[in-house]
Amino acid sequence: MAAGIVWAMTRNDKGTGGAGSAVTVRGLVKHYGETKALDGVDLDVAEGTVMGVLGPNGAGKTTLVRVLSTLLAPTAGHATVAGYDVVRQPRQLRRVIGLTGQYASVDEKLSGWENLYLIGRLLDLPRKEARSRADGLLERFSLTEAARRPAGTYSGGMRRRLDLAASMIGRPAVLYLDEPTTGLDPRTRNEVWDEVKRLVGDGVTVLLTTQYMEEAEQLASELTVVDRGKVIASGGIEALKAKVGGRTLRIRPADPLQLRPLAAALDGLGITGLAGTTVDAERGAVLVPVLSDEQLTAVVGAVTARGITLNSLTTELPSLDEVFLSLTGHRASSPQDPLPATTSEEVVAV
């Protein structure tokens, strides 16, 4: 999002949506003038799971979160969250959701405790309950020792944990995390991941938007890939890998000196569809992408014909990054990439 948002609403009775489904989206459309940010999106998120929504910059991920959190009205289509319609029942829906945007949004001049207490009071919690929830969340997110310090003195990881704590003040049933680890270092990213796993363990449903494949693999049980406002693939991680097709042979010769000669020999086979070998010297292996059983047989035959003694020969499905590239034509971001540029979907006034 263009600005960080932490939004936590007081939990209330659930609506009357389908049993077992926390989020249901059908034919969701959102236009900004001539731009179709969402173009007929369908989505189902089971209760107590993490749905990872993947896509390149401008794919429509943030717009989807904004519609599902009632910050934007859809142009067409239908969506329910915890049984509440996003258009007809926005007040009830806001009471069962939490939202954490891309950037830390706490008040830096207030202490961690004051931030949480203030949000609790804004949610109409009695003073005693607001104090109790602030104390409990600070302890849960390992922030008790820093509770009275200004949030502006917190590290990036501490601020992110405070963001998550703020979004949990209202005990939401569904939590939206919009690219929550953008710009964070690896250690801080791992801290955020650990907290998300704990929340899901407590029964919270999470809708996670991300460009980081490692993050998706760590957290999500199901994935939805969007591009140019459309869902282009969905399912479990292994199912998506199998759908893309292809395998990678990892060949480990007993003699490391055989690595490059073996790679050169396999490259010279001229098999149609063989994308070319790479040498993983650190692990002592030659990696060979193959697209069919015939190619697999030809590669194994070539290794045997050269009389090379092997330590192992294994096959692997494509990486999630390769799946993303195959589906979208774009390579996914890595956690070391610079912050993405603001897109048209991110500058629309709410």
Side-chain angles (χ1 to χ4, degrees), residues 291-319:
L291 300 177
S292 66
D293 290 339
E294 290 76 15
Q295 290 178 3
L296 175 61
T297 301
V299 170
V300 173
V303 173
T304 302
R306 292 183 65 87
I308 297 175
T309 303
L310 301 181
N311 277 341
S312 64
L313 188 152
T314 58
T315 60
E316 303 170 353
L317 287 172
S319 69

Side-chain angles (χ1 to χ4, degrees), residues 13 17 46 60 137 284:
D13 295 333
L137 286 166

Side-chain angles (χ1 to χ4, degrees), residues 267 271-277 288-291 295:
D267 269 337
I271 301 173
T272 302
L274 191 59
T277 63
V288 189
V290 294
L291 300 177
Q295 290 178 3

